[in-house]
Amino acid sequence: MFSTKAPVRQNFYLALKYFLVLYSSMMQHFTSANDVKDLPGLLGMALDMKKNPARYQTALQGKTLGMLFFNPSLRTRMSTEKAALNMSMNIISLDADRGWNLEFEDGVVMDGAKAEHVKEAAAVMSQYCDVLGVRSFATLTDREKDYQDYVIQKFRRHASVPVISLEGAILHPLQSLTDWITIETYKQKTAPKVVLSWAPHPRALPQAVPNSFLEWMGKTNYELVVTHPAGYELNERFTKGVRIEYDQRKAFEGADFIYAKNWSNYEDYGKVLNTDASWMVDAEKMALTNRAKFMHCLPVRRNQIVADEVLDGQDSIVIPQAGNRVWAAMAALQLVLS
Amino acid sequence: MFSTKAPVRQNFYLALKYFLVLYSSMMQHFTSANDVKDLPGLLGMALDMKKNPARYQTALQGKTLGMLFFNPSLRTRMSTEKAALNMSMNIISLDADRGWNLEFEDGVVMDGAKAEHVKEAAAVMSQYCDVLGVRSFATLTDREKDYQDYVIQKFRRHASVPVISLEGAILHPLQSLTDWITIETYKQKTAPKVVLSWAPHPRALPQAVPNSFLEWMGKTNYELVVTHPAGYELNERFTKGVRIEYDQRKAFEGADFIYAKNWSNYEDYGKVLNTDASWMVDAEKMALTNRAKFMHCLPVRRNQIVADEVLDGQDSIVIPQAGNRVWAAMAALQLVLS
Amino acid sequence: MFSTKAPVRQNFYLALKYFLVLYSSMMQHFTSANDVKDLPGLLGMALDMKKNPARYQTALQGKTLGMLFFNPSLRTRMSTEKAALNMSMNIISLDADRGWNLEFEDGVVMDGAKAEHVKEAAAVMSQYCDVLGVRSFATLTDREKDYQDYVIQKFRRHASVPVISLEGAILHPLQSLTDWITIETYKQKTAPKVVLSWAPHPRALPQAVPNSFLEWMGKTNYELVVTHPAGYELNERFTKGVRIEYDQRKAFEGADFIYAKNWSNYEDYGKVLNTDASWMVDAEKMALTNRAKFMHCLPVRRNQIVADEVLDGQDSIVIPQAGNRVWAAMAALQLVLS
């Protein structure tokens, strides 16, 4: 019955398939700085949103943000919800860290613990939401998969709506845009010296924040320096062209911004090889800077990463920095939905 | 002091009680097809909502939907939230699967693990919400209780607002209305042949989706066939009048819709007695049909229930089927609240 | 570069700091009856909200309520969400009982399980929300800390927005305002006799509800009596001036309202020393009263705290009492935000 029509139909579906792949690749996602064609334009929009929030009050009215948390979230959840509410969006949140075990591999016989494939999950949620935010941390055991930003990219591929990373395995673009907004707000010279400093922490943390910071800051004209103990080098994709200074004190000299952050080892992947307390940021080290502003993405462990005296001091801007998460999320939502 | 008034007062309260029982039984709930007086009218409303969603944008403005999950939910939660948002409702969600241990039996001395009685729970929530959605799965151990749809019916009895089943122990009316909308959208003849096919699954699943499908489809003029291994008969309440065909291939012949679904055994209640892979739906079996559309309620296990080639093929409509959950939920909300 | 400016700047920051401390202490919180300057005014507002809810429909439009649950919540969560929705507020909820381990002590080296300090947590959330609701129960092991209402007060100190207690370690002001609204609604004389009666319960419960009830009722002209087994005395801060009657039957004589509630021992802190079933409220005891209304904050254990015959009887007002939670929460939100 369908034999004569079948070839035509198959060609049609093949054409449709290629169109959808193309269309999907043209879709504006927000999972990396590389997704953004006009970075200064995005920054300008975020700064305008901060200045004139009322102007955007109904910008995305009637649109629905779906948020999918494979890992728990506090700041990202609250600030992104606030951003969506600021533009009159609806929000649907799913805590996927409780019992929603997705299959991400193709061609698998699903007879184990995984009850649903990401293909269906992403496609279905795309029908309920206009944009999907996804949070999925690094495994810290499978470096290869982590460095593909595996979960986020799978959703990106199978969703039919834009995907925003709410922190992936190796990148945290909402945080980095936040950091950029913050530096632009506080900088007192065109090209400030910005230092990303490793700091000690008792637990194994992902490399997403430092990777992402370098990715975004690497696109500015800032004087960018990263300092960490030998052996704590980050992936070259992100450090390429960035000055690495193994002497923390030397790195701090004349700095305008100190961004402290712990990360676990990249070479011996996901391991904590160093908890050297002498890498903590304290007042004595801050005194070496050009009265640098102190930044951290939070949550921060006091008297491990940074001494109370610095965090509670006048040059700590971690709270307004966290406040800027709202404008970053608003800008990202507006970018992908307009 | 009250002695002379007491009899009058008691009569008044008795009259009030009977009135409330009557009123409550007249209240429009949505826990089964049998709750709906005008099924074609409900379908028509759902199809109109799909066509003209804007028309219903403020239909339930100011109304509050309370959702109570005794079991986790993904699709039902998101699609019902989306439906409520589409009609400008407020939503209050409660995850009751974490630590909210309700007593459902009457006359019990509550000195054990259960801290609250459903009488209070339902009555209190009825004061905060205009409609209560309740999800509570089958125990798969106590057949008698399950087949009373125990939890849903207890809420129905003690709530003073309409109750919507978000999947009960033996029925899933929102899914079945969705399935009906889907078939009506894709059917190419007045009375298509619709086949519900059992398919293998490694875990014990409830009978709610197949029961409910048969309940709703049994009220249409479709040519309805159910196929499953011998011994996997469903409760007669739902299969009465439905053709049972034990030969899956024979059942598929000339079918217009194949609805695949696993369920655990009814006789040996809740057991998995069969995981025979030859019952999986594949391309070879689909070739026996009248180019049938493939349906499943999702989540679906690939290459267990259905082969990739079918699920990813042109005749799979599981994604738009899931999309129709929104219109089913909108219609159910409108039904019970107007 | 900053050396000459530094002293001026430091003075400025010192002045700013004192201003903020002063400002923060002037801020209108809602964590105790003592926070409220005009109690009758607050009651009047709540009663007006109950009578004319439409009048307040957009009262707090655009404001965001952040809710932070260190302990689970049903009634408080739903009623407070409903209250916020009734005034067109936005709501952001955080379940902090799953994995958000805050440090509350100052000067600690945070190298253990606690990943974030309340200083940052409260300050950051204050940027996303206009008011913070916090729930944190008593430890029932550290009496000293509990009786400082430790967690609530820490948030109060470090938040830059008003804090509402959603039940703290020793007080539950939203419940007590609810109770006051309820008594005012049902009372048939100016100064009714109100009896708080201990009742048995198998588990150790906090003292927050009874403490708070006495705190609020102690500010009215009601004839207030508390009855409990010897040894179950509450903290004197709350019982000062209140008649204690160890004979429950004597306490009930002529009562207009019976408020039943269990609490664990204060002296042998947090222990269950008594589960004497003879303290249960039943019809025979209620017959001693002036046809008293029966109250309880819910959840209530049937046939432990109170017999079915009383709870299901005509004089039980526990359901409308729970309904009043909405007006109490609306009044509290309006109080702190205007």
Side-chain angles (χ1 to χ4, degrees):
Chain A
M1 186 173 170
F2 294 94
S3 54
T4 52
K5 284 198 202 157
V8 176
R9 202 185 271 250
Q10 272 176 16
N11 284 344
F12 170 75
Y13 276 107
L14 210 66
L16 183 66
K17 195 177 165 179
Y18 284 126
F19 170 76
L20 286 174
V21 167
L22 186 71
Y23 175 78
S24 153
S25 70
M26 281 163 29
M27 194 180 285
Q28 179 67 64
H29 297 283
F30 186 80
T31 66
S32 154
N34 297 321
D35 286 330
V36 186
K37 259 141 228 142
D38 178 13
L39 281 167
L42 182 68
L43 176 72
M45 182 161 67
L47 291 169
D48 188 56
M49 285 165 158
K50 182 172 182 167
K51 215 171 165 179
N52 308 299
R55 215 182 264 173
Y56 299 86
Q57 213 170 312
T58 55
L60 300 177
Q61 193 154 34
K63 302 281 185 188
T64 300
L65 164 64
M67 294 210 287
L68 193 51
F69 293 96
F70 289 95
N71 295 94
S73 171
L74 172 73
R75 233 163 309 273
T76 298
R77 178 193 289 258
M78 287 190 100
S79 59
T80 308
E81 287 195 10
K82 176 67 171 176
L85 293 168
N86 278 354
M87 299 194 284
S88 298
M89 291 184 81
N90 295 321
I91 301 165
I92 299 178
S93 280
L94 270 192
D95 287 322
D97 55 334
R98 295 197 298 138
W100 196 38
N101 211 340
L102 280 190
E103 177 62 65
F104 289 95
E105 299 291 338
D106 288 340
V108 174
V109 176
M110 290 172 60
D111 58 0
K114 295 174 180 174
E116 178 150 30
H117 200 282
V118 65
K119 279 189 189 179
E120 278 72 57
V124 169
M125 285 190 293
S126 297
Q127 294 181 102
Y128 304 149
C129 305
D130 298 289
V131 50
L132 291 180
V134 181
R135 160 164 287 209
S136 176
F137 288 169
T139 62
L140 291 185
T141 52
D142 187 337
R143 190 171 78 177
E144 199 188 333
K145 229 171 207 175
D146 284 351
Y147 272 77
Q148 295 167 24
D149 211 359
Y150 192 70
V151 172
I152 304 276
Q153 292 307 315
K154 283 282 185 182
F155 269 92
R156 189 175 158 141
R157 187 162 133 215
H158 295 296
S160 56
V161 297
V163 169
I164 289 181
S165 166
L166 303 173
E167 186 171 346
I170 48 159
L171 292 170
H172 195 351
L174 284 174
Q175 181 63 52
S176 306
L177 175 54
T178 297
D179 300 337
W180 194 21
I181 296 167
T182 308
I183 293 174
E184 283 297 308
T185 309
Y186 281 91
K187 76 177 187 185
Q188 299 195 339
K189 55 178 78 144
T190 317
K193 181 176 177 184
V194 174
V195 178
L196 171 64
S197 177
W198 184 91
H201 192 285
R203 303 213 173 159
L205 297 190
Q207 293 137 19
V209 169
N211 284 343
S212 194
F213 186 75
L214 294 179
E215 187 196 57
W216 285 71
M217 296 305 107
K219 294 178 188 292
T220 67
N221 66 339
Y222 301 164
E223 185 193 339
L224 189 56
V225 181
V226 57
T227 181
H228 55 69
Y232 262 81
E233 287 75 15
L234 290 160
N235 181 301
E236 282 183 10
R237 201 203 305 177
F238 303 106
T239 55
K240 206 176 159 185
V242 177
R243 181 182 147 205
I244 301 179
E245 172 56 67
Y246 294 98
D247 181 339
Q248 192 187 25
R249 280 186 170 74
K250 213 161 163 186
F252 274 44
E253 278 170 18
D256 298 296
F257 293 89
I258 298 296
Y259 197 108
K261 183 75 188 84
N262 175 269
W263 59 88
S264 61
N265 204 276
Y266 176 76
E267 276 310 318
D268 197 352
Y269 189 62
K271 295 291 187 309
V272 176
L273 303 181
N274 190 328
T275 55
D276 182 357
S278 77
W279 276 83
M280 182 176 77
V281 178
D282 60 16
E284 182 251 318
K285 282 176 203 164
M286 288 299 284
L288 301 170
T289 68
N290 178 29
R291 185 128 194 199
K293 298 297 179 194
F294 177 81
M295 299 175 71
H296 189 280
C297 59
L298 304 184
V300 66
R301 283 169 177 258
R302 289 173 166 261
N303 305 312
Q304 272 270 306
I305 296 282
V306 56
D308 279 343
E309 63 200 17
V310 173
L311 200 60
D312 294 330
Q314 301 161 29
D315 297 318
S316 169
I317 57 172
V318 298
I319 303 302
Q321 180 187 358
N324 286 333
R325 294 290 303 265
V326 175
W327 320 115
M330 281 175 70
L333 287 166
Q334 178 74 18
L335 174 74
V336 302
L337 284 173
S338 66
Chain B
M1 188 172 170
F2 294 95
S3 55
T4 53
K5 284 197 205 160
V8 176
R9 200 185 274 251
Q10 273 173 15
N11 285 346
F12 170 75
Y13 277 106
L14 211 63
L16 184 64
K17 196 176 166 181
Y18 285 126
F19 171 76
L20 286 174
V21 166
L22 187 70
Y23 176 78
S24 154
S25 70
M26 281 166 26
M27 194 179 287
Q28 179 66 65
H29 297 283
F30 186 81
T31 67
S32 154
N34 297 321
D35 286 331
V36 186
K37 259 140 228 142
D38 178 11
L39 281 166
L42 183 67
L43 176 72
M45 182 161 67
L47 291 170
D48 188 55
M49 286 166 157
K50 183 172 181 166
K51 214 170 165 180
N52 308 299
R55 217 181 262 172
Y56 300 85
Q57 212 171 312
T58 55
L60 300 177
Q61 192 154 35
K63 301 282 185 188
T64 299
L65 163 64
M67 293 210 286
L68 194 50
F69 294 96
F70 288 96
N71 294 96
S73 172
L74 171 73
R75 234 163 309 273
T76 299
R77 178 194 289 259
M78 286 190 101
S79 59
T80 309
E81 287 194 10
K82 175 68 172 176
L85 293 169
N86 277 354
M87 298 194 285
S88 299
M89 291 185 79
N90 295 321
I91 302 164
I92 298 178
S93 279
L94 269 192
D95 288 322
D97 55 335
R98 295 198 297 137
W100 195 38
N101 211 341
L102 280 190
E103 177 62 65
F104 289 94
E105 299 290 341
D106 289 340
V108 173
V109 177
M110 290 172 60
D111 58 0
K114 295 174 180 175
E116 178 149 31
H117 199 282
V118 65
K119 279 189 189 179
E120 279 71 57
V124 168
M125 285 191 292
S126 297
Q127 295 180 102
Y128 304 150
C129 306
D130 299 288
V131 50
L132 290 181
V134 182
R135 160 165 286 210
S136 177
F137 289 169
T139 62
L140 292 185
T141 53
D142 187 337
R143 191 170 78 176
E144 199 188 333
K145 230 173 206 173
D146 285 350
Y147 272 77
Q148 295 167 23
D149 212 358
Y150 193 69
V151 172
I152 303 275
Q153 293 308 315
K154 283 284 185 179
F155 269 92
R156 189 174 158 141
R157 186 160 136 218
H158 295 297
S160 56
V161 297
V163 169
I164 289 182
S165 167
L166 304 173
E167 187 173 346
I170 48 158
L171 292 170
H172 193 352
L174 284 175
Q175 181 63 52
S176 306
L177 177 53
T178 297
D179 300 337
W180 194 21
I181 295 168
T182 307
I183 293 173
E184 283 296 308
T185 308
Y186 281 92
K187 76 176 187 186
Q188 300 195 338
K189 55 178 78 144
T190 317
K193 180 176 177 185
V194 174
V195 178
L196 170 64
S197 176
W198 184 91
H201 192 286
R203 303 213 173 159
L205 298 191
Q207 292 138 17
V209 169
N211 284 343
S212 195
F213 186 75
L214 295 179
E215 189 195 56
W216 286 71
M217 294 307 106
K219 294 178 189 290
T220 67
N221 66 338
Y222 301 164
E223 184 192 340
L224 189 57
V225 181
V226 57
T227 180
H228 53 70
Y232 262 81
E233 287 75 17
L234 290 160
N235 182 300
E236 283 181 11
R237 199 200 309 175
F238 304 106
T239 54
K240 205 176 162 187
V242 178
R243 179 182 148 206
I244 301 180
E245 173 54 66
Y246 293 99
D247 181 338
Q248 193 187 25
R249 278 183 172 75
K250 213 162 163 185
F252 275 44
E253 277 169 20
D256 298 297
F257 292 89
I258 298 297
Y259 197 108
K261 182 76 189 84
N262 174 269
W263 58 89
S264 61
N265 205 278
Y266 176 75
E267 276 310 317
D268 196 353
Y269 190 61
K271 294 292 187 306
V272 176
L273 303 181
N274 190 330
T275 56
D276 181 356
S278 76
W279 276 83
M280 182 176 77
V281 177
D282 58 16
E284 182 252 319
K285 283 175 202 164
M286 288 299 284
L288 302 169
T289 68
N290 179 28
R291 185 128 195 197
K293 298 297 179 195
F294 178 81
M295 299 175 71
H296 189 280
C297 59
L298 304 185
V300 65
R301 284 170 176 255
R302 288 173 166 260
N303 305 311
Q304 273 270 304
I305 296 282
V306 56
D308 280 342
E309 61 199 17
V310 173
L311 200 61
D312 295 330
Q314 301 161 29
D315 297 319
S316 168
I317 57 171
V318 298
I319 303 302
Q321 180 187 0
N324 287 332
R325 294 290 302 266
V326 175
W327 320 115
M330 280 175 70
L333 287 166
Q334 178 74 16
L335 174 75
V336 303
L337 283 173
S338 64
Chain C
M1 189 172 168
F2 294 95
S3 54
T4 52
K5 285 196 202 160
V8 176
R9 201 184 274 250
Q10 273 175 15
N11 285 346
F12 170 75
Y13 276 105
L14 211 65
L16 184 64
K17 195 176 167 181
Y18 284 126
F19 170 76
L20 286 175
V21 167
L22 188 70
Y23 176 78
S24 153
S25 69
M26 282 163 30
M27 194 179 286
Q28 179 66 64
H29 298 283
F30 186 79
T31 65
S32 154
N34 297 321
D35 286 330
V36 185
K37 257 140 229 142
D38 178 13
L39 281 166
L42 182 68
L43 176 71
M45 182 161 66
L47 292 169
D48 188 55
M49 286 165 158
K50 183 172 182 166
K51 214 171 165 182
N52 308 298
R55 213 183 265 174
Y56 299 85
Q57 212 170 312
T58 55
L60 300 177
Q61 192 154 35
K63 301 281 185 189
T64 300
L65 163 64
M67 294 211 286
L68 193 51
F69 294 96
F70 289 97
N71 295 95
S73 171
L74 171 74
R75 235 161 308 273
T76 298
R77 178 194 289 259
M78 285 191 102
S79 59
T80 308
E81 288 195 9
K82 176 70 170 174
L85 292 169
N86 277 354
M87 299 194 284
S88 300
M89 291 185 80
N90 295 321
I91 302 165
I92 299 178
S93 279
L94 268 192
D95 288 322
D97 54 335
R98 294 198 298 139
W100 196 38
N101 210 339
L102 280 188
E103 177 63 65
F104 290 94
E105 298 291 340
D106 289 338
V108 173
V109 176
M110 290 171 60
D111 56 1
K114 295 174 180 174
E116 178 149 32
H117 199 282
V118 65
K119 278 189 189 179
E120 277 72 56
V124 168
M125 284 190 294
S126 297
Q127 295 180 102
Y128 304 148
C129 306
D130 298 290
V131 51
L132 291 180
V134 182
R135 162 166 286 211
S136 177
F137 288 169
T139 63
L140 292 185
T141 52
D142 187 337
R143 189 170 79 176
E144 199 188 333
K145 229 173 207 173
D146 285 350
Y147 272 77
Q148 295 166 25
D149 211 359
Y150 192 69
V151 171
I152 303 276
Q153 292 307 315
K154 283 283 184 180
F155 268 92
R156 189 176 158 139
R157 185 161 135 217
H158 295 297
S160 56
V161 297
V163 170
I164 289 181
S165 167
L166 304 173
E167 186 171 347
I170 48 159
L171 292 170
H172 193 353
L174 284 174
Q175 181 63 52
S176 305
L177 175 53
T178 297
D179 300 337
W180 194 21
I181 296 168
T182 307
I183 294 173
E184 283 296 308
T185 308
Y186 282 91
K187 75 177 189 187
Q188 300 195 339
K189 56 178 78 145
T190 318
K193 181 177 178 185
V194 175
V195 179
L196 171 64
S197 176
W198 185 91
H201 193 284
R203 303 214 172 157
L205 297 190
Q207 292 137 18
V209 169
N211 284 343
S212 194
F213 186 76
L214 295 179
E215 189 196 58
W216 285 71
M217 296 307 106
K219 294 178 189 293
T220 68
N221 67 338
Y222 302 164
E223 185 193 340
L224 190 57
V225 181
V226 57
T227 179
H228 54 70
Y232 262 81
E233 287 75 15
L234 290 160
N235 181 301
E236 283 182 12
R237 201 202 305 176
F238 303 106
T239 55
K240 206 175 161 187
V242 178
R243 179 183 148 207
I244 300 179
E245 174 54 67
Y246 295 98
D247 182 339
Q248 192 186 26
R249 278 183 171 74
K250 212 162 166 186
F252 274 43
E253 278 169 19
D256 299 295
F257 293 88
I258 299 295
Y259 196 107
K261 183 76 189 85
N262 175 268
W263 58 89
S264 62
N265 205 277
Y266 176 76
E267 276 311 318
D268 195 353
Y269 190 62
K271 294 292 188 306
V272 177
L273 304 181
N274 191 328
T275 54
D276 181 357
S278 76
W279 276 82
M280 183 176 76
V281 178
D282 59 16
E284 182 252 319
K285 283 176 202 162
M286 289 299 284
L288 301 169
T289 69
N290 178 29
R291 183 125 195 201
K293 298 296 178 195
F294 177 81
M295 298 175 71
H296 190 280
C297 58
L298 305 186
V300 66
R301 282 169 177 258
R302 287 172 167 262
N303 305 311
Q304 271 271 305
I305 296 283
V306 55
D308 280 343
E309 63 200 17
V310 173
L311 200 60
D312 295 329
Q314 301 161 29
D315 297 318
S316 169
I317 57 171
V318 298
I319 304 301
Q321 181 186 359
N324 287 333
R325 292 292 301 265
V326 174
W327 321 115
M330 280 176 70
L333 286 165
Q334 179 74 17
L335 174 75
V336 302
L337 282 173
S338 65

